[in-house]
Amino acid sequence: MNGRRLGLRKRLALNIFSDLYRAKAAEHRLDTLFWECTLRCNLSCRHCGSDCRTEPAVPDMPLADFLRVLDEEVTPHVDPAEVLVVFSGGEVLLRDDLEEAGAEVARRGYAWGMVTNGMALTAARLRTLRDAGLATVSLSLDGFEAEHNYVRRNPRSYDRALDALRLIVREQGLTYDVVTCVTAPLVPQLEAFRDMLVAEGVRSWRLFTIFPAGRAAADATLRLGDADFRRLLDFIRRTRKEGRIAASYACEGFLGGYEAEVRDHFYQCAAGVSVASVRVDGAISGCTSIRADYHQGNIYTDSFWDVWEHRFEPFRNREWARRGACAECRMFRYCLGGGMHLRDGEGELLQCHYHRL
């Protein structure tokens, strides 16, 4: 199969979807709010986009500051039951007040979740987090021991993440997924790794590829070649057809003939359309993967809701991205220039998934 080729039926479906996406962008109803609550981390991962460290230059955001944004800027305009608040980092479990933060968010009617590397998750900590209303968890597990520990740069990381996975899987009523950054050494082992996840009881699995930003910009060993990228997408498609685990490729970019075959939906970048984030320094952005060049304001100087309503035009109207490799591309209608996190400070595209196919 030519991964770039679109059949007539898929093209017609994409035309409909792209019209619906433009309507969604015009409406821009907020449904996910990330809070980057810390840049402290207990790992020093090779691919980190935030360049997190044990003692970061930017301190944790006080909980009271984030709650003020929720109370004064968000809650008056949304139904809290329809917005998910996700705590991210750094490593969120390093915050001693994480349970207090979760309980306060839940008390306001929001579901909340967290993204974690699992290093600090114990049975006791999971219990207190659940008591505070924890509803969702995304856990990073990047392959078997050698592959995972290489990416995470800690010899204990794999064992701790696997222990955390087993706690999460056994927890009744908790929505979760395993998130895997796929590197070249893992590609030949994808089937075996999938079978291990299935044996552990994992039901939902999200796979990423690493893009050239943050620490990964200087480490070519982390990025897949084009042939391995195709192998990964073919593997996800086969796995989805088998139906033993809900595997999906992340919202990285437009995938041509693989669209709707490796995800539950056609490609879309939700950043600034239905997803917003409050960064640890107060910056307001679309999602935490997007570089500082695309911050739209700051909670310490601006109204969050005013920014959400009126300053996200670069996210919602992507005609500015029709340049360089995108200028004459026939897929721009569907791709809109790729994920916002794949643009550099000058707006140039760092990586095009479609052309890799």
Side-chain angles (χ1 to χ4, degrees), residues 18 22 37 65 78 93 152 154 157 180 201 225 244 253 287 318 345:
S18 63
R22 284 172 171 80
C37 60
D65 294 357
V78 304
L93 292 173
R152 301 290 164 175
N154 187 303
S157 178
T180 299
R244 292 187 295 149
C287 83
R318 300 286 294 279

Side-chain angles (χ1 to χ4, degrees), residues 97-151:
D97 66 348
L98 190 62
E99 284 84 351
E100 179 188 357
E104 287 295 328
V105 169
R107 186 170 65 82
R108 288 159 169 80
Y110 295 90
W112 70 276
M114 68 178 186
V115 181
T116 180
N117 61 37
M119 281 286 289
L121 189 65
T122 63
R125 191 78 194 272
L126 181 58
R127 186 74 270 130
T128 59
L129 290 166
R130 288 289 279 158
D131 290 344
L134 176 68
T136 74
V137 177
S138 289
L139 174 72
S140 297
L141 188 63
D142 299 321
F144 293 112
E145 184 172 12
E147 297 76 38
H148 179 91
N149 288 348
Y150 176 78
V151 172

Side-chain angles (χ1 to χ4, degrees), residues 233 236-237 240 247-249 255 258-264:
L233 296 181
I236 295 173
R237 184 168 54 189
R240 289 172 64 85
S248 65
Y249 186 66
L255 299 174
Y258 290 98
E259 283 296 316
E261 297 179 19
V262 295
R263 303 186 187 100
D264 293 337

Side-chain angles (χ1 to χ4, degrees), residues 169-345:
V169 168
R170 291 199 299 266
E171 183 66 26
Q172 295 294 316
L174 181 63
T175 299
Y176 68 89
D177 62 358
V178 169
V179 181
T180 299
C181 291
V182 179
T183 52
L186 180 59
V187 172
Q189 303 181 74
L190 281 168
E191 282 82 4
F193 186 60
R194 174 202 58 205
D195 293 347
M196 185 273 285
L197 293 178
V198 171
E200 292 288 348
V202 175
R203 298 186 300 274
S204 183
W205 184 25
R206 196 156 34 106
L207 298 95
F208 285 77
T209 47
I210 297 171
F211 56 94
R215 292 178 189 157
D219 191 345
T221 67
L222 300 174
R223 301 194 292 276
L224 296 187
D226 294 349
D228 277 345
F229 183 54
R230 290 279 300 267
R231 289 178 67 186
L232 169 62
L233 296 181
D234 288 336
F235 163 78
I236 295 173
R237 184 168 54 189
R238 290 195 307 273
T239 296
R240 289 172 64 85
K241 288 180 179 178
E242 291 172 4
R244 292 187 295 149
I245 186 172
S248 65
Y249 186 66
C251 54
E252 293 288 298
F254 180 73
L255 299 174
Y258 290 98
E259 283 296 316
E261 297 179 19
V262 295
R263 303 186 187 100
D264 293 337
H265 50 74
F266 290 117
Y267 166 74
Q268 59 177 325
C269 180
V273 173
S274 59
V275 175
S277 65
V278 175
R279 305 297 293 262
V280 69
D281 61 355
I284 302 167
S285 186
C287 83
T288 55
S289 295
I290 296 172
R291 53 189 296 126
D293 308 81
Y294 299 98
H295 293 170
Q296 303 302 299
N298 193 291
I299 64 167
Y300 294 114
T301 57
D302 304 297
S303 158
F304 173 89
W305 198 255
D306 180 70
V307 171
W308 176 253
E309 283 293 297
H310 303 296
R311 298 197 198 173
F312 273 86
E313 186 66 10
F315 290 74
R316 297 166 188 163
N317 182 348
R318 300 286 294 279
E319 281 300 313
W320 63 267
R322 198 190 287 268
R323 59 202 249 190
C326 299
E328 305 298 328
C329 182
R330 293 179 298 170
M331 297 297 112
F332 188 86
R333 169 183 172 87
Y334 313 127
C335 177
L336 300 178
M340 286 289 289
H341 65 290
L342 296 177
R343 294 278 164 176
D344 68 13

